[in-house]
């Protein structure tokens, strides 16, 4: 028999478990029962497509056996079991998927808040909080040989072959000795065990059984009692979603969510929907209060659990939930679906499509309700998942924009808080035709853009876009409430009276040659040069022409796989009322060399103001030095 060491990280965690970092030790039972139920689910699931598995739904059970004399508690199941390799990899490495980063020192921190078990998926090891020795005897379904895993804590474990009659897993905990603070032997008390099962595992779909002693009237007698031992099913097995909502408290929903979806925090919102008629189903959905670790990565898989009359038929049914609501977790239980339906058939299933449509509407409705009735909560939601809604507006050629546009929030120049598009348009000035926006890395930087200052000075509000997706979403929308979106950093910005615009046009025509010369000095990166009357006190800024803005250029070029960089058509705008304008005009007559240098510097400055990198920093630096020396 070989003794194996746990991996270092595992050791650390085990150590913490043993030294009871988690105040709520009783949850170990919930964890072991859930594992047993998962193992049965796996086998049951396989049996739907594998005719050689002859077990039916009623054959499965989880059994709890306390043995007071031996001081052991046994939890067994007839689920899928584990092979030797699985034993090794599942129980030899802890938290292999989760990142092992304890933000707070659990020994010191707020213990209630740190749910290590939920956070890292280390349920099995929680048993070390109550046991000083654990034996796992298991046999994988279809295998001939069983294996025994044993460990008494932090140091090491052993695995060896063992006799096991049938497939499944038997976990035996040798409980710790009672101490003053903790009476571990309580976990051998049938009354306590029954109430723990009721509390945590009532809706487990397989019977959790235990032999329980009862006092029973002796047969034929009216007052004589005898003690009989009978098998009792401890859980009601009625799934939470089948219970009458008025009977289910928030705490119960939250507990269900945390356990089922492995979140360490409570859900932000519970959504329940029951449909009867053309479509029959119950949906119990949850909006998490924070994005899962992998949410904004490719690894994240959306989907709802799909049940057919209380029996799980698919763990992550993607077709039930659209991408823009991919953060929603939950279950759908429908009596219209056949148990033996295959994945391929499900995709075609008409019922499923009807349900998915109805759920989408329901979720959008609930979010909209939250936005109106509890703004603070909605903003918390939006901080977590707002980007996803914006991607939703952009994706599928804008197909979902009507559904989503009123759920979007943006920062704006109005106040330092989120605004909806409806709020923006309701405040628009009478003469304001467009919805103005500007994008940049941070709110502070955007607020400092010359064009933004200018639009604000006309009394208009500007939306501040800081996320990559923002501008793409707005462009896809095109308009909101028939009002066009307008990037203040594009040449479309035409503020001022008709006369002012006319005057500007003339000035620009008169300076044509100057601009051509400047453009040539600066080089091909620049599309055009022109005067502007919207720059307040600033000398120059960059804007863009055409559909691609400066910021979109930045975003697109950062995308992986962009080998051919895209280029926005940049326009150098010069404040026609700034002394610099006069200076340029004079230099064009007197000193073209200097004008060439100044043009480059002006362009470099404008790039910096727009938050763009310089094409050639060394050259710019030399130019500045030349200028300084001249002054001296
Ligand atoms: P989690 O359940 O969160 O994955 P655990 O530490 O509780 O983490 O369990 C680790 C793994 O061990 C499980 O994912 C499962 O593959 C396996 N396992 C645990 N208990 C059983 C069981 N009763 N039957 C079969 N496999 C089990």
């Amino acid at each position: 028999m070989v003794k194996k060491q746990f991996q270092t990280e595992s050791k650390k965690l085990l150590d913490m478990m043993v030294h009871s970092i988690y105040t709520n030790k009783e949850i170990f039972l919930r964890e072991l029962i859930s594992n047993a139920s998962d193992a049965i689910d796996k086998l049951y699931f396989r049996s739907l497509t594998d005719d050689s598995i002859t077990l039916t739904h009623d054959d499965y059970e989880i059994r709890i056996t306390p043995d007071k004399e031996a001081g052991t508690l046994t939890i067994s199941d007839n689920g899928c079991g584990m092979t030797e390799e699985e034993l090794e990899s599942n129980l030899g490495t802890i938290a292999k998927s989760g990142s092992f980063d304890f933000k707070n020192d659990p020994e010191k921190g707020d213990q209630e808040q740190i749910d290590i078990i939920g956070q890292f998926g280390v349920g099995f090891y929680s048993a070390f909080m109550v046991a000083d020795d654990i034996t796992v005897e298991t046999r994988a379904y279809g295998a001939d040989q069983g294996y025994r895993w044993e460990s008494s804590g932090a140091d090491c474990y052993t695995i060896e072959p063992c006799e096991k009659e049938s497939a499944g897993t038997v976990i035996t905990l040798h409980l710790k000795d009672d101490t003053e603070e903790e009476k571990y032997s309580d976990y051998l008390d049938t009354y306590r065990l029954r109430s723990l099962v009721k509390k945590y595992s009532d809706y487990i779909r397989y019977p959790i059984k235990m032999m329980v002693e009862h006092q029973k009237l002796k047969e034929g007698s009216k007052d004589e009692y005898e003690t009989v031992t009978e098998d009792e099913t401890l859980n009601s097995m009625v799934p939470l979603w089948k219970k009458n909502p008025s009977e289910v408290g928030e705490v119960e929903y939250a507990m269900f969510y945390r356990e089922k979806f492995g979140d360490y925090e409570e859900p932000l919102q519970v959504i329940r929907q029951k449909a009867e008629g053309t479509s029959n189903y119950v949906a119990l959905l949850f909006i998490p209060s924070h994005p899962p670790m992998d949410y904004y990565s490719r690894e994240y898989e959306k989907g709802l659990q799909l049940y057919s009359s209380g029996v799980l038929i698919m763990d992550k049914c993607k077709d039930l939930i659209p991408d823009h609501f991919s953060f929603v977790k939950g279950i759908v239980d429908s009596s219209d679906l056949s148990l033996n339906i295959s994945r391929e058939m499900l995709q075609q299933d008409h019922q499923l499509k009807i349900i998915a449509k109805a759920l989408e509407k329901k979720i959008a409705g609930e979010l909209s309700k939250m936005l109106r009735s509890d703004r603070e909560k909605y903003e918390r939601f939006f901080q977590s998942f707002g980007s996803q809604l914006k991607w939703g507006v952009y994706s599928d050629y804008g197909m979902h924009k009507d559904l989503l546009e009123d759920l979007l929030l943006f920062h704006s120049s109005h106040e330092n808080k989120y605004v909806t598009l409806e709020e923006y348009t309701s405040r628009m000035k009478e003469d304001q035709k467009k919805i103005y926006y500007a994008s940049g890395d941070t709110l502070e930087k955007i607020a400092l853009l010359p064009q933004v200052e200018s639009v604000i000075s006309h009394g208009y509000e500007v939306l501040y876009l800081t996320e990559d997706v923002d501008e793409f979403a707005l462009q896809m929308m095109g308009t909101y409430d028939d009002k066009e979106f307008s990037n203040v950093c594009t040449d479309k910005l035409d503020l001022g009276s008709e006369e002012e615009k006319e005057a500007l046009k003339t000035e620009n025509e008169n300076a044509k040659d100057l601009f051509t010369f400047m453009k040539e000095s600066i080089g091909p990166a620049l599309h055009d040069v022109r005067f502007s009357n919207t720059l307040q006190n600033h000398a120059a800024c960059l804007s863009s022409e055409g559909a691609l803005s400066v910021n979109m250029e930045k975003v697109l070029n950062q995308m992986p796989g962009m080998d051919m960089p895209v280029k926005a058509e940049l326009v150098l705008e010069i404040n026609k009322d700034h002394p610099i304008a006069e200076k340029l005009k004079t230099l064009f007559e007197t000193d073209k060399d200097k004008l060439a240098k100044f043009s480059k510097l002006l362009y470099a400055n404008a790039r910096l103001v727009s938050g763009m990198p310089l094409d050639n920093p060394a050259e710019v630096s030399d130019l500045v030095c030349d200028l300084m020396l001249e002054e001296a």
Side-chain angles (χ1 to χ4, degrees):
M1 187 165 65
V2 196
K3 281 201 170 182
K4 297 189 183 188
Q5 296 281 320
F6 284 109
Q7 294 194 346
T8 338
E9 287 182 341
S10 312
K11 260 192 192 167
K12 209 160 94 191
L13 187 59
L14 262 179
D15 213 42
M16 288 170 155
M17 287 289 179
V18 177
H19 296 107
S20 51
I21 47 157
Y22 201 71
T23 43
N24 203 7
K25 292 183 202 273
E26 65 188 25
I27 56 90
F28 83 93
L29 188 65
R30 171 193 80 185
E31 295 299 316
L32 296 184
I33 289 175
S34 294
N35 280 352
S37 167
D38 287 348
I40 295 178
D41 266 347
K42 278 181 204 158
L43 187 57
Y44 178 75
F45 211 67
R46 230 193 291 161
S47 74
L48 295 180
T49 48
D50 182 347
D51 290 339
S52 71
I53 303 174
T54 51
L55 290 162
T56 70
H57 198 259
D58 294 339
D59 296 325
Y60 296 108
E61 67 168 43
I62 298 164
R63 182 167 289 280
I64 301 179
T65 318
D67 182 337
K68 283 195 170 146
E69 258 159 54
T72 59
L73 180 66
T74 302
I75 291 103
S76 59
D77 65 72
N78 54 354
C80 64
M82 283 177 269
T83 62
E84 188 181 6
E85 293 75 35
E86 283 166 345
L87 251 189
E88 171 85 29
S89 69
N90 291 338
L91 304 188
T93 331
I94 305 183
K96 53 181 185 295
S97 55
S99 90
F100 198 77
D101 171 24
F102 292 95
K103 290 189 193 75
N104 314 301
D105 181 355
E107 274 159 326
K108 295 193 204 110
D110 182 355
Q111 304 203 336
E112 289 301 325
Q113 280 181 10
I114 306 165
D115 184 349
I116 291 190
I117 293 156
Q119 204 166 348
F120 296 103
V122 290
F124 171 78
Y125 300 93
S126 63
F128 279 112
M129 295 192 295
V130 299
D132 50 25
D133 186 273
I134 301 179
T135 311
V136 179
E137 289 180 310
T138 185
R139 186 171 137 191
Y141 189 88
D144 305 322
Q145 180 67 55
Y147 289 91
R148 178 189 291 115
W149 177 99
E150 188 172 359
S151 169
S152 35
D155 280 339
C156 52
Y157 61 93
T158 55
I159 295 180
E160 60 184 338
C162 73
E163 289 290 315
K164 189 165 184 323
E165 235 170 63
S166 55
T169 303
V170 179
I171 299 179
T172 306
L173 313 182
H174 184 269
L175 298 181
K176 294 181 180 176
D177 291 335
D178 286 350
T179 63
E180 261 176 35
E181 293 99 56
E182 193 77 32
K183 230 176 137 226
Y184 296 101
S185 56
D186 268 1
Y187 297 120
L188 299 174
D189 178 50
T190 50
Y191 186 79
R192 179 81 202 275
L193 289 166
R194 186 198 284 121
S195 71
L196 283 179
V197 170
K198 272 271 171 236
K199 179 171 173 191
Y200 291 113
S201 314
D202 197 41
Y203 50 80
I204 292 283
R205 289 175 310 283
Y206 307 100
I208 303 168
K209 294 185 178 172
M210 181 167 67
M211 295 298 273
V212 181
E213 282 184 356
H214 290 286
Q215 295 296 316
K216 236 186 170 177
L217 266 183
K218 258 191 176 167
E219 240 185 63
S221 158
K222 283 203 177 114
D223 49 8
E224 251 188 294
Y225 283 87
E226 63 177 348
T227 307
V228 292
T229 311
E230 276 178 341
D231 221 4
E232 188 182 313
T233 298
L234 307 175
N235 54 331
S236 73
M237 288 181 280
V238 178
L240 187 67
W241 58 90
K242 290 250 168 113
K243 288 187 185 168
N244 190 334
S246 60
E247 287 168 20
V248 188
E250 249 178 60
V251 177
E252 204 174 339
Y253 277 132
M255 210 152 76
F256 173 83
Y257 164 78
R258 289 173 51 158
E259 191 175 334
K260 192 156 195 91
F261 300 104
D263 196 344
Y264 55 94
E265 267 185 70
E266 293 184 359
L268 187 73
Q269 177 85 1
V270 181
I271 302 173
R272 212 176 166 284
Q273 188 179 36
K274 186 172 175 162
E276 271 164 349
T278 37
S279 183
N280 297 289
Y281 68 90
V282 179
L284 180 57
L285 310 180
F286 302 90
I287 298 177
S289 48
H290 64 123
M293 218 150 34
D294 61 351
Y295 186 62
Y296 287 105
S297 80
R298 263 167 217 250
E299 271 78 67
Y300 182 78
E301 269 185 79
K302 64 164 186 171
L304 300 180
Q305 285 198 332
L306 183 61
Y307 288 81
S308 164
S309 305
V311 179
L312 182 73
I313 56 173
M314 196 188 272
D315 193 32
K316 277 201 169 144
C317 183
K318 288 194 175 74
D319 299 330
L320 277 173
I321 201 91
D323 281 342
H324 42 271
F325 294 147
S326 61
F327 47 84
V328 175
K329 308 252 181 204
I331 68 98
V332 172
D333 192 349
S334 171
S335 51
D336 299 338
L337 302 167
S338 143
L339 240 187
N340 290 309
I341 196 160
S342 73
R343 271 157 208 260
E344 291 70 35
M345 277 161 68
L346 259 181
Q347 272 167 12
Q348 311 293 328
D349 196 274
H350 184 58
Q351 278 303 328
L352 209 64
K353 290 207 174 97
I354 295 178
I355 299 176
K357 261 272 127 326
L359 292 181
E360 182 187 34
K361 227 172 116 192
K362 174 79 179 170
I363 296 166
E366 289 282 322
L367 286 174
S368 157
K369 213 165 33 178
M370 196 199 294
L371 173 62
R372 277 179 277 120
S373 64
D374 191 344
R375 180 66 169 241
E376 188 267 331
K377 184 172 171 185
Y378 187 80
E379 291 190 4
R380 264 190 290 144
F381 156 77
F382 198 81
Q383 258 157 6
S384 297
F385 302 111
S387 311
Q388 192 61 21
L389 298 189
K390 293 176 193 162
W391 276 115
V393 168
Y394 175 70
S395 63
D396 298 331
Y397 307 100
M399 228 172 91
H400 320 289
K401 63 181 187 194
D402 290 346
L403 181 84
L404 301 174
E405 61 186 10
D406 281 316
L407 296 175
L408 301 184
L409 297 179
F410 297 97
H411 289 284
S412 96
S413 56
H414 183 69
E415 268 178 292
N416 190 17
K417 61 179 200 191
Y418 276 131
V419 301
T420 63
L421 293 174
E422 197 189 350
E423 284 158 1
Y424 182 103
T425 49
S426 71
R427 292 196 277 263
M428 273 170 75
K429 291 183 63 173
E430 244 171 61
D431 65 336
Q432 185 182 349
K433 296 191 181 61
K434 295 176 178 173
I435 301 175
Y436 293 110
Y437 68 84
S439 34
D441 295 339
T442 62
L443 299 176
E444 293 73 25
K445 281 190 194 170
I446 299 173
L448 288 173
L449 286 173
Q451 294 99 323
V452 170
E453 284 187 8
S454 161
V455 176
I456 294 175
S457 76
H458 281 81
Y460 304 140
E461 181 173 355
V462 180
L463 297 177
Y464 291 173
L465 312 184
T466 49
E467 279 194 90
D468 286 356
V469 61
D470 287 340
E471 206 170 342
F472 292 88
L474 293 195
Q475 282 214 354
M476 188 54 86
M477 284 165 74
T479 59
Y480 173 81
D481 193 20
D482 293 332
K483 284 149 195 113
E484 205 184 317
F485 288 105
S486 168
N487 185 339
V488 302
C489 297
T490 67
D491 64 330
K492 275 187 244 146
L493 191 64
D494 51 351
L495 301 172
S497 67
E498 287 309 314
E499 293 102 73
E500 282 169 332
K501 283 186 215 166
E502 212 36 58
L504 182 66
K505 212 164 139 194
T506 320
E507 286 232 26
N508 270 323
E509 286 198 357
N510 293 343
K512 243 186 184 158
D513 295 340
L514 165 67
F515 294 151
T516 311
F517 179 84
M518 289 180 71
K519 217 174 91 177
E520 275 166 12
S521 322
I522 293 165
L526 192 67
H527 180 69
D528 220 344
V529 185
R530 69 170 69 109
F531 282 136
S532 154
N533 61 354
T534 61
L535 287 180
Q536 309 283 312
N537 305 320
H538 300 274
C541 74
L542 271 187
S543 68
S544 63
E545 227 171 62
L548 198 65
S549 75
V550 171
N551 210 59
M552 288 166 98
E553 169 191 313
K554 215 161 35 179
V555 174
L556 287 173
N557 288 340
Q558 277 164 2
M559 295 227 230
M562 279 298 285
D563 342 316
M564 289 273 287
V566 293
K567 282 257 168 246
E569 298 196 330
L570 298 180
V571 178
L572 177 62
E573 293 200 25
I574 296 160
N575 187 346
K576 80 174 176 55
D577 301 320
H578 195 281
I580 254 315
E582 274 319 305
K583 178 93 185 175
L584 295 172
K585 282 186 212 163
T586 316
L587 286 178
F588 186 60
E589 304 300 334
T590 59
D591 188 346
K592 290 231 166 62
D593 270 357
K594 204 170 210 173
L595 177 60
K597 285 185 187 174
F598 277 24
S599 302
K600 284 184 187 175
L601 279 175
L602 211 52
Y603 172 64
N605 276 349
R607 283 187 75 93
L608 291 177
V609 171
S610 299
M612 293 167 82
L614 297 178
D615 294 330
N616 192 347
E619 187 191 8
V620 173
S621 163
D622 288 347
L623 283 169
V624 172
C625 286
D626 286 353
L627 207 71
M628 289 161 93
L629 288 173
E630 250 170 62
E631 283 304 305

